[in-house]
Amino acid sequence: MTSPLTTPVDMLGATRPMSTAELATRGKIGKTAEAFEGQFLGIMLQSMFQGTDADAPFGGGQGEQMFRSFLTDAIAKQTVKAGGLGIAAVVQREMLKLQGLTDQPAPTPTQPQVTANVA
């Protein structure tokens, strides 16, 4: 007896589409996690550059010291923009848990639904 049972199987485990509010929340959480990683890296870089001084003719004296925080912040932002160190992903996952959301988003309409054929 062969009776195919076609049941949609979602490979990601999501059972419902995301609402607009949930998408907005996920976007805010993602941006906040990246901002946190940027701040964290900026602080790390500032402490790393504290003990370094450039000698003449490349040393900038007071001007270099005054603008060093801008340089470290720019380096941190570019590092996060290029993929970061993975801190943002961990922070995002924990923030999603605190909001009662899973870290795997629901499938988009472009993702195919897999059907299971049971014989």
Side-chain angles (χ1 to χ4, degrees):
M1 177 170 132
T2 58
S3 168
L5 175 67
T6 58
T7 307
V9 176
D10 183 4
M11 300 307 284
L12 295 177
T15 58
R16 61 176 175 73
M18 286 191 283
S19 67
T20 306
E22 186 175 338
L23 285 172
T25 301
R26 286 180 181 277
K28 288 178 186 177
I29 287 174
K31 286 181 182 180
T32 303
E34 286 180 357
F36 175 80
E37 183 173 14
Q39 290 294 319
F40 178 78
L41 288 174
I43 291 169
M44 282 184 47
L45 289 170
Q46 283 178 6
S47 65
M48 183 181 81
F49 278 106
Q50 265 181 346
T52 61
D53 287 325
D55 294 329
F58 299 108
Q62 285 288 37
E64 180 182 357
Q65 299 229 351
M66 185 174 19
F67 288 103
R68 186 174 285 172
S69 66
F70 291 109
L71 174 65
T72 57
D73 287 342
I75 292 171
K77 286 178 184 177
Q78 287 300 314
T79 303
V80 171
K81 189 176 179 181
L85 302 177
I87 297 169
V90 174
V91 170
Q92 181 177 3
R93 184 173 54 242
E94 293 303 316
M95 290 176 72
L96 287 169
K97 282 183 191 176
L98 290 172
Q99 295 295 318
L101 302 171
T102 61
D103 65 342
Q104 290 290 343
T108 59
T110 59
Q111 291 178 333
Q113 289 288 330
V114 177
T115 58
N117 291 325
V118 179

